Amino acid sequence: MQAKMEQGKRKGKVAKQKETKTDQRLRKETEMAQSRTSGGKLFMAVVYMLATCRAVPINDLLNRASERSDEMYSLSTGLTKDLASHMSPLSWPAMERPALCHTSVLPTPNDKEQTLQVSESALMSLVRSLLQAWAEPLVILSNHASTLPHPARINISNKIQNLQDYSKRLGDGLDILSGKMGPEAQVVSILPYHGGTDLGHDRNSKLQKFNFLLSCFRRDSHKIDSFLKVLRCRAAKMQPELC
Amino acid sequence: MKRRLGLAVLLMLSAALRCRSASPPGKPVLIGCRSPEKETFTCWWEPGFNGGLPTRHRLFYEKEGSEEVHECPDYWSAGKNSCFFGKEQTSIWVEYSLTVVAFNALGNTSSDLFKIDDVMKIVKPYTPENVTVLVNDTANTPYLCVSWNHPPKVDTKSGWTTIKYELRVQKEDNKPEIFHPNKKNSFKVYNVDPGATYTVDMRCQLDQSSWSEWSTASVVKIPNYFQNEKPFWILVSIFSVIPLLATICIVVLKRKFVKQWLLPPVPGPKIRGVDVQLLKSGRAEDVINALIGNQNFPPAAAWMDQTEEYLLVSDSNDWLLTDPYISQKKKSLVIPAGVQLEIQCRTSAPAQSDCENAEVGKDGKVEPDHLAQTKESVLNVAAPSVSSGSKEAASGNAAGPTGYVGIQQHKGTQGAGPNAAQWDYSWVKEVNGETIFILKNEDAAAGWTVPGWEENTAADYSRVKEVNGDDVVLLQKHDSADSSCKKKEDRSAEWTNQKAKSRHGSDCGKGACLQIAGNGYVDSVPRFYVE
């Protein structure tokens, strides 16, 4: 009896093993088939993506970049206005520029004729350099904004954080854009900031430095915006409504 | 002497006084600067007291990043006491420091330093040009269509400036609404009320600069369409109310008629001949009578639409010749002696009672009148007649008026074998049509004599053609066709011959002898023969 039971068990085991083997084989086969089909699909997807990705025109990219820079510039003008508000003219420190902006060393066109004469790649390079130059100072500004002796500091702090965000996004987009332009667009001049990480010790110097930095930033953001819009208009010859 | 001295002093004093009114000029004040298109700018100043002497003002400026002092290039283009900086002198994103100096014969005076942080800060465009407002009235939804041109002198082709517009719409004395059009030249204002007056003006901005002045306002009045259409709608409403009232009156006055027409009464269930009241009374007999008694039930055989006649010929119940084939052909039946004939009358019209009567004929009459009506007079059947009191299956054969018909007498059951039955022989009195009149209680001779043919008999007689031996009687099916009559005659001749032949070679012995051709019936086709 026992022998029979054992025999039965053995037979059962063997059957199970056979089953598992066939199952494994089946599974492998199905997996291979699936991988083949999925591989084919993946290939097709990649090809399609390449085809469609190639098709994004520079016009669109420039348009988006211009919109970003416009937002950035309007934010910065708002910021300077906020800073100038709530302060009576008497207590406002003298609007003297203590120094040149750290980005003044970069030669940029200053009027329309000069700007229109510069090549597109050179303009793109200027824009990227300017944007890159403000990455660090914006961090300093945002660090000190919350402790600024100014009634609207929370509002200012929020806006500076937004500015950082816009700046980063614009930088990423411009990296992609410059890849589609000439080799000169890849050149990014480094403009280091030497102003130190703190704004000063007393209230007036803090406010003054803050104001100074902000005004420099506003100016540079306007340069960026103007150059990008000129580029956009140049690229969109068939769409005069973009100019 | 003294008078001369006095006059001299007076003269000197007046001269001195005249000399004291001339002084160096007063300090000029720079009022402001403005750039209308981000390419040039103009600055104005206010001169001070001129000191009584002709004074001249000069403007000097410094640009950021260089120590060089420049003088204003253009003092006249922008009017008096102004300085116009042209395209070559204008630099954006550059700080300017301006000073105005007043010069006269006695000296000069400088104004305070005027700094322009960025030319962008002094940008203020002119107002948009040609702002026109049109009222567009399509399909009772009027809207305002505002169109304009860009401010003068602004470059819109190269992308150097981005112009943003602002549109202000004020309804009469309400709070104005501000719109920011996306398009460059036109804008549509919906949500305007007919009959109201609107004031529309615009201003613009370059790159987040200061806004321009408001343009000259355009005032429009939207015509009041509703009032124009009021009488029309009044007429329409009147003309629609009158028929409505009329229909209401009609409906109210002729309620019943309308109700009947709209909702016709549904007839209740009704059985013909049955009185509902009777049923309601509930008495069982009445109910049954009502439901059943009035019916004229058709005879049970009525469903047999075909005029088929079946002739069941059975010899001791073994022979049942019920073939539907019969009904379609003219047949003759050869019936051996001792064969019972059971008639099954299947006709369309007559009542079953006729057949029954054929079986159960008390007075010896057989009246299968209905047989004559059949389309195919299939068989001539000797209808059984019944002796009084007992049923008898007709057996025997149709014979001519002078033939004998054998009638088997049944006592009680029909299934008795021939041996058990007693045979009564009756003289066939007359064959009338398909009826066979049998005289009862006549003893027949042992033998039969075959009557001769009667050729003059009517076509619808049934005849016994021949009696062949003791057992066989040839029945001639009669039909109305002459041709067949002739055939009959021919056949008869054959038969007689055959009969002569066949007498010898007859296989018929006692018992059943039936020539079966095909399905057991002897066909009217001249292959009738009996062997």
Side-chain angles (χ1 to χ4, degrees):
Chain A
M1 252 284 285
Q2 272 186 352
K4 278 190 180 171
M5 278 176 63
E6 282 170 27
Q7 248 189 9
K9 280 187 190 170
R10 249 179 276 146
K11 280 187 183 170
K13 272 189 194 168
V14 166
K16 272 190 192 169
Q17 281 174 1
K18 279 189 184 169
E19 252 188 66
T20 50
K21 276 188 190 165
T22 50
D23 280 345
Q24 279 174 1
R25 237 182 288 148
L26 273 172
R27 241 181 278 144
K28 275 186 192 168
E29 282 171 21
T30 49
E31 277 172 16
M32 279 175 66
Q34 276 177 0
S35 67
R36 253 179 266 139
T37 51
S38 65
K41 283 184 189 170
L42 187 66
F43 178 69
M44 291 303 295
V46 165
V47 165
Y48 180 70
M49 270 174 60
L50 282 173
T52 49
C53 281
R54 283 248 163 247
V56 177
I58 289 187
N59 296 351
D60 268 353
L61 292 171
L62 274 172
N63 201 19
R64 290 181 220 178
S66 303
E67 283 170 10
R68 289 280 151 273
S69 69
D70 189 83
E71 284 165 12
M72 218 166 68
Y73 176 55
S74 64
L75 248 182
S76 63
T77 40
L79 254 179
T80 49
K81 280 179 191 166
D82 285 345
L83 203 64
S85 68
H86 302 286
M87 305 286 284
S88 64
L90 291 173
S91 63
W92 188 246
M95 297 230 307
E96 287 173 13
R97 189 162 292 169
L100 291 169
C101 295
H102 69 287
T103 52
S104 304
V105 294
L106 187 68
T108 58
N110 284 328
D111 63 11
K112 187 175 113 181
E113 279 75 21
Q114 289 177 17
T115 310
L116 294 179
Q117 282 162 14
V118 178
S119 74
E120 282 129 16
S121 309
L123 271 177
M124 180 54 69
S125 168
L126 286 172
V127 167
R128 290 178 72 201
S129 312
L130 283 171
L131 197 62
Q132 183 60 39
W134 278 100
E136 193 192 325
L138 272 178
V139 171
I140 296 169
L141 278 174
S142 82
N143 288 342
H144 289 274
S146 49
T147 55
L148 198 67
H150 192 277
R153 60 175 166 272
I154 297 168
N155 200 14
I156 289 166
S157 176
N158 286 340
K159 284 189 179 173
I160 288 179
Q161 279 175 1
N162 281 345
L163 269 177
Q164 280 183 295
D165 188 37
Y166 285 140
S167 172
K168 171 120 193 351
R169 275 196 263 162
L170 184 60
D172 294 341
L174 289 178
D175 290 341
I176 296 170
L177 245 183
S178 62
K180 297 176 188 266
M181 299 170 94
E184 207 178 337
Q186 306 294 332
V187 176
V188 178
S189 314
I190 298 179
L191 309 164
Y193 175 68
H194 299 295
T197 52
D198 66 334
L199 296 179
H201 302 288
D202 64 335
R203 180 179 176 272
N204 278 353
S205 60
K206 273 188 186 175
L207 283 171
Q208 207 177 41
K209 199 158 181 192
F210 202 89
N211 189 44
F212 168 69
L213 276 175
L214 262 185
S215 64
C216 285
F217 179 73
R218 190 204 63 80
R219 199 167 71 171
D220 289 337
S221 66
H222 188 240
K223 277 189 191 176
I224 292 166
D225 189 41
S226 299
F227 296 158
L228 282 174
K229 282 177 180 166
V230 166
L231 281 175
R232 174 176 75 170
C233 184
R234 261 197 239 175
K237 281 163 196 159
M238 302 303 290
Q239 291 165 290
E241 65 268 13
L242 286 175
C243 289
Chain B
M1 250 332 250
K2 279 186 184 172
R3 277 190 190 163
R4 278 190 198 161
L5 275 169
L7 277 167
V9 168
L10 276 167
L11 278 167
M12 278 175 70
L13 274 169
S14 60
L17 277 168
R18 264 185 246 143
C19 283
R20 267 183 211 150
S21 64
S23 63
K27 194 175 172 183
V29 175
L30 274 161
I31 305 166
C33 304
R34 179 183 178 173
S35 169
E37 78 288 75
K38 202 178 157 188
E39 292 171 49
T40 65
F41 70 100
T42 313
C43 287
W44 294 270
W45 67 84
E46 184 72 38
F49 176 60
N50 62 356
L53 293 167
T55 45
R56 193 183 153 198
H57 292 89
R58 290 171 76 177
L59 191 143
F60 299 99
Y61 67 90
E62 279 178 31
K63 275 176 147 177
E64 176 188 343
S66 82
E67 299 289 331
E68 194 181 331
V69 178
H70 306 271
E71 193 180 345
C72 173
D74 187 344
Y75 288 105
W76 300 278
S77 301
K80 205 177 173 191
N81 298 329
S82 69
C83 179
F84 176 76
F85 293 83
K87 291 185 183 178
E88 287 84 36
Q89 295 85 31
T90 309
S91 299
I92 317 292
W93 308 304
V94 167
E95 192 187 49
Y96 281 79
S97 305
L98 304 170
T99 335
V100 177
V101 181
F103 291 93
N104 72 358
L106 294 175
N108 54 20
T109 322
S110 300
S111 65
D112 290 332
L113 197 65
F114 188 82
K115 276 197 176 175
I116 302 174
D117 197 22
D118 185 353
V119 174
M120 281 309 301
K121 290 202 169 179
I122 58 167
V123 170
K124 184 175 175 183
Y126 295 126
T127 62
E129 283 191 325
N130 296 340
V131 178
T132 51
V133 183
L134 292 171
V135 180
N136 208 326
D137 48 352
T138 52
N140 284 350
T141 55
Y143 61 91
L144 298 175
C145 188
V146 186
S147 61
W148 64 90
N149 286 337
H150 63 82
K153 295 187 182 169
V154 173
D155 179 15
T156 52
K157 308 279 180 183
S158 62
W160 181 241
T161 55
T162 311
I163 310 173
K164 283 184 194 162
Y165 296 97
E166 198 173 85
L167 199 142
R168 182 170 69 176
V169 177
Q170 188 179 22
K171 178 187 170 184
E172 280 150 10
D173 287 326
N174 297 352
K175 192 181 168 189
E177 270 184 87
I178 305 286
F179 298 99
H180 291 101
N182 288 329
K183 282 202 217 167
K184 287 188 167 188
N185 293 313
S186 62
F187 187 72
K188 287 180 189 166
V189 182
Y190 295 97
N191 196 24
V192 287
D193 304 328
T197 306
Y198 287 89
T199 310
V200 178
D201 49 8
M202 283 188 75
R203 65 178 185 179
C204 59
Q205 175 194 57
L206 294 181
D207 290 1
Q208 313 287 336
S209 70
S210 315
W211 286 100
S212 69
E213 310 290 326
W214 287 106
S215 64
T216 51
S218 309
V219 179
V220 285
K221 185 168 188 245
I222 295 160
N224 203 341
Y225 306 102
F226 191 66
Q227 275 183 356
N228 292 342
E229 294 174 358
K230 237 187 191 175
F232 169 71
W233 286 111
I234 290 168
L235 275 174
V236 165
S237 59
I238 287 170
F239 278 119
S240 59
V241 157
I242 289 171
L244 190 70
L245 283 173
T247 43
I248 290 170
C249 286
I250 289 168
V251 166
V252 165
L253 289 175
K254 305 252 177 184
R255 276 193 300 270
K256 286 185 183 170
F257 178 73
V258 169
K259 192 181 170 191
Q260 255 202 342
W261 179 71
L262 271 178
L263 305 166
V266 176
K270 212 173 164 187
I271 304 171
R272 193 168 15 120
V274 173
D275 188 9
V276 177
Q277 299 303 322
L278 195 62
L279 285 176
K280 280 186 185 172
S281 66
R283 287 174 54 194
E285 316 152 342
D286 290 344
V287 168
I288 290 168
N289 284 339
L291 288 175
I292 299 172
N294 288 342
Q295 300 296 327
N296 294 322
F297 286 110
W303 59 273
M304 299 176 199
D305 204 14
Q306 299 155 9
T307 56
E308 291 176 357
E309 277 182 25
Y310 282 105
L311 179 65
L312 296 176
V313 179
S314 62
D315 178 23
S316 64
N317 296 332
D318 293 335
W319 282 87
L320 282 172
L321 303 170
T322 56
D323 201 329
Y325 186 64
I326 297 168
S327 61
Q328 302 180 7
K329 287 199 171 183
K330 302 174 184 177
K331 304 169 199 69
S332 293
L333 187 68
V334 175
I335 303 171
V339 171
Q340 299 173 13
L341 279 179
E342 293 172 20
I343 302 170
Q344 281 187 355
C345 303
R346 299 178 67 209
T347 56
S348 55
Q352 200 180 24
S353 49
D354 291 337
C355 288
E356 288 173 28
N357 290 338
E359 278 196 18
V360 185
K362 288 184 184 173
D363 53 358
K365 272 192 189 172
V366 177
E367 294 174 356
D369 283 332
H370 55 282
L371 290 176
Q373 299 168 12
T374 57
K375 286 182 185 175
E376 301 157 332
S377 38
V378 177
L379 295 166
N380 310 324
V381 173
S385 65
V386 178
S387 62
S388 57
S390 65
K391 266 196 182 177
E392 279 182 358
S395 59
N397 319 299
T402 54
Y404 277 96
V405 176
I407 302 166
Q408 191 175 20
Q409 200 175 33
H410 284 277
K411 296 221 165 135
T413 60
Q414 281 189 353
N419 298 327
Q422 286 184 356
W423 283 89
D424 254 354
Y425 283 95
S426 309
W427 186 257
V428 175
K429 185 77 177 179
E430 187 185 6
V431 177
N432 191 4
E434 289 190 23
T435 60
I436 304 169
F437 294 97
I438 304 171
L439 287 178
K440 291 286 298 181
N441 298 326
E442 270 192 87
D443 288 329
W448 288 47
T449 55
V450 178
W453 293 112
E454 285 191 18
E455 303 190 350
N456 291 331
T457 54
D460 51 356
Y461 273 28
S462 54
R463 301 179 187 171
V464 173
K465 283 284 182 183
E466 195 176 5
V467 175
N468 201 358
D470 291 335
D471 304 325
V472 176
V473 172
L474 284 174
L475 282 179
Q476 175 66 44
K477 181 178 90 71
H478 64 250
D479 57 2
S480 51
D482 287 334
S483 55
S484 54
C485 283
K486 286 181 186 170
K487 283 186 190 170
K488 278 188 208 169
E489 292 163 14
D490 295 335
R491 262 184 265 125
S492 64
E494 282 183 21
W495 283 9
T496 46
N497 295 334
Q498 284 177 0
K499 180 206 158 185
K501 288 182 199 170
S502 61
R503 264 202 188 268
H504 308 292
S506 157
D507 290 335
C508 294
K510 285 196 176 171
C513 175
L514 226 95
Q515 176 58 38
I516 300 168
N519 45 16
Y521 277 93
V522 184
D523 209 329
S524 59
V525 176
R527 52 189 178 105
F528 274 77
Y529 52 90
V530 176
E531 287 182 332

